[in-house]
Amino acid sequence: MRTIQILTVCGSGTVSSTMVAQKLKEALAAEGIKIATTEVKPTQVVSHVEQGSYDFVVNTTPVPDNIPIPVINGVGFLTGLEEEEFLEEVRSVIAQIQEREAN
């Protein structure tokens, strides 16, 4: 299975997005899923999506509406209040990516 490319977004492009990225790497590694993350601020999202080969976005702050890949709200994962719901959504998006690539 290939490495899943994720764009993580927070207001400053460093603190919260890095925390979410690290926590997500640990959670998915335990399931045998490899990910690579790039941390950015909201104003960089569109250009990164256009230039990169990202599979989806995880945000802790609002991002533009015109993103052509899935966007998953990561606030609950960051705070620990909705971790399992967030992880289920991430797993679902990854499963859809893998299914699409298998066909």
Side-chain angles (χ1 to χ4, degrees):
M1 178 171 86
R2 73 170 175 83
T3 301
I4 302 295
Q5 302 293 323
I6 304 171
L7 195 62
T8 57
V9 186
C10 72
S12 68
T14 52
V15 181
S16 296
S17 59
T18 301
M19 290 172 59
V20 167
Q22 186 58 40
K23 201 171 166 181
L24 191 54
K25 283 178 186 175
E26 291 170 7
L28 295 177
E31 300 176 26
I33 300 170
K34 290 180 63 175
I35 66 168
T37 60
T38 302
E39 294 78 32
V40 298
K41 53 188 165 185
T43 57
Q44 300 171 307
V45 173
V46 172
S47 64
H48 271 76
V49 169
E50 289 173 350
Q51 295 171 4
S53 56
Y54 297 98
D55 294 298
F56 62 94
V57 174
V58 172
N59 64 311
T60 61
T61 191
V63 296
D65 291 333
N66 58 339
I67 307 301
I69 58 177
V71 177
I72 303 172
N73 187 323
V75 173
F77 189 60
L78 180 64
T79 63
L81 296 176
E82 298 176 7
E83 285 186 10
E84 195 51 43
E85 293 86 344
F86 170 80
L87 287 172
E88 282 302 317
E89 189 171 356
V90 167
R91 289 181 196 110
S92 174
V93 168
I94 291 172
Q96 290 170 15
I97 291 166
Q98 291 170 333
E99 184 177 312
R100 187 172 55 242
E101 292 177 352
N103 294 328

